[in-house]
Amino acid sequence: MNYENILVAQENGVATVTINRPSKLNALNKATIQELHEAFKALHEDAETKVIIITGSGEKAFVAGADIAEFADFSVERGAELARNGQEILFSFIENLSTPVIAAVNGFALGGGLELAMASHFRVASDNAKMGLPEVSLGVIPGYGGTQRLPQLVGKGRAMEMVMTAGMISAEDALSYGLVNHVTSQEELLPLANKIAGKIMRNSSVAIGHAIKCINDNYIDGVNGYQTEITQFGVCFGTEDFKEGTTAFLEKRKADFPGK
Ligand code: COA
C-alpha cells in the first residue's frame, strides 16, 4: 500500500513504521493518523509481522505533536470529535493490538507524539529525545489519552507536574520516571528496538497477545484483570503454541511456535 505521510518497511518479522513529515517535525495531521491506522491494521492482520516498531523520520523528532495548524479554528464540538476520533482510530487501537508495538523515540515526542509513544506497548529512546505534554501552553489539554496514560506510567504527581508546567523532560529523566525502558544513542536506537523485537519473536505470539490484553485490563475501570487473566490463561491451553511450547520444553529443544 502507498502512503503519503508514513513509510512502512518489513524485515524478518519486524515492521518499522516511520512517520515521515520531517519538515513539520512529523506532526500528526488527520491524514497521518488515518494512514497510521490503516498501516497498523494491515500489519496486525499480516501473519508474518510479529512486532511493530514506530519511529519518526529525521534526527530531530519522533512526533512534535498533533498538527496545530489543523485544529486552531475548531469549535467545541469539533474539538471533542478530534479527540474521540484520534483515540478510537489510533491511540486506543494501538494499545489494544495483540501485536506488540515498540515506540522508538528518536527526538521530540511532544503532545500527540508522547501520547502515541505512550499508547505503544513500551518505549525506547535516543539520548537526544525530549518528552512532554505542552498542551496547556496552547490553552488546551492532552486529548489523545495523555491525561490517563501519563499517570499510569510515571505516577500522578509527576504527571500533574509535567502537564501543568507544559515542560519537556530529557531522555535520562524519562528513563528514571519509567516513561521509557532504555536510552541509547541515536544510531543505536533502531538496532536496540530490533534486538528487543528479536527476543519477543522467540516466544508465542498468541500467548503475548493474551498477556497484552490482561495487562491492559489492569487499567480499565470496572474490569477485573485477575478474572481476565484466569480466562486468558485457560484459553492458552487450547492453542497449538501451548502444545508446541510445552512439548519442546519436555523434549529439551527450542520451540518453533506456529503462532496459532
Ligand atoms: N504542529 C504543526 N506544525 C508543527 C508542530 C506541530 N505540533 N511542531 C512543529 N511544527 C512545524 C513548525 O511550525 C515548523 O514549520 P515551518 O517550518 O513551516 O514554520 C517546523 O515544524 C519546524 O518547527 P520549528 O518550531 O521551526 O522547530 P524548532 O526546532 O525551532 O522547535 C519545537 C521545535 C518542537 C520546540 C517546536 O516546533 C514546538 O514547540 N512545536 C509544537 C509542540 C507542541 O506544542 N505540540 C503539542 C501540540 S498539541
Side-chain angles (χ1 to χ4, degrees), residues 38-116:
E38 282 158 22
F40 275 97
K41 187 164 183 290
L43 292 168
H44 171 64
E45 286 165 1
D46 170 28
E48 297 300 302
T49 301
K50 301 293 185 198
V51 180
I52 304 171
I53 295 170
I54 177 146
T55 193
S57 78
E59 294 186 347
K60 209 169 154 183
F62 173 69
V63 170
D67 194 323
I68 299 167
E70 240 183 26
F71 63 73
D73 64 350
F74 274 15
S75 62
V76 170
E77 291 74 23
R78 288 190 75 194
E81 193 188 319
L82 179 76
R84 187 180 311 110
N85 284 346
Q87 289 196 18
E88 269 175 29
I89 72 166
L90 189 59
F91 297 81
S92 299
F93 185 78
I94 289 180
E95 181 168 59
N96 291 313
L97 278 187
S98 56
T99 307
V101 180
I102 306 172
V105 179
N106 58 314
F108 289 115
L110 302 175
L114 181 55
E115 289 173 305
L116 181 60

Side-chain angles (χ1 to χ4, degrees), residues 23-25 27 60 64-68 108 110-111 134-135 138 168:
S23 68
K24 296 290 175 195
L25 303 185
K60 209 169 154 183
D67 194 323
I68 299 167
F108 289 115
L110 302 175
E135 285 86 348
L138 298 165
M168 295 183 208

Side-chain angles (χ1 to χ4, degrees), residues 100-255:
V101 180
I102 306 172
V105 179
N106 58 314
F108 289 115
L110 302 175
L114 181 55
E115 289 173 305
L116 181 60
M118 292 194 294
S120 303
H121 295 128
F122 62 91
R123 293 140 291 284
V124 296
S126 56
D127 47 21
N128 67 321
K130 293 244 181 299
M131 283 160 255
L133 293 178
E135 285 86 348
V136 298
S137 71
L138 298 165
V140 67
I141 63 169
Y144 290 147
T147 62
Q148 306 304 296
R149 293 191 184 100
L150 187 63
Q152 288 171 5
L153 288 162
V154 306
K156 186 175 172 183
R158 282 174 170 153
M160 285 283 192
E161 184 178 343
M162 282 178 71
V163 170
M164 289 180 198
T165 60
M168 295 183 208
I169 62 167
S170 65
E172 201 185 314
D173 284 344
L175 183 65
S176 76
Y177 282 17
L179 186 52
V180 302
N181 293 6
H182 307 276
V183 173
T184 186
S185 64
Q186 193 148 50
E187 310 80 74
E188 284 304 314
L189 183 64
L190 286 180
L192 173 65
N194 275 282
K195 191 172 158 198
I196 299 170
K199 289 187 185 171
I200 292 172
M201 283 191 303
R202 284 186 219 141
N203 304 313
S204 159
S205 58
V206 179
I208 286 172
H210 292 307
I212 290 172
K213 179 170 173 43
C214 293
I215 293 172
N216 280 341
D217 274 8
N218 183 232
Y219 297 95
I220 303 176
D221 263 354
V223 172
N224 183 337
Y226 291 98
Q227 188 50 54
T228 307
E229 189 179 273
I230 291 167
T231 307
Q232 301 290 311
F233 183 79
V235 168
C236 290
F237 284 68
T239 67
E240 291 181 33
D241 275 13
F242 174 73
K243 284 192 183 64
E244 168 59 12
T246 47
T247 306
F249 178 81
L250 295 172
E251 291 175 356
K252 300 193 187 304
R253 61 174 172 81
K254 255 173 87 176

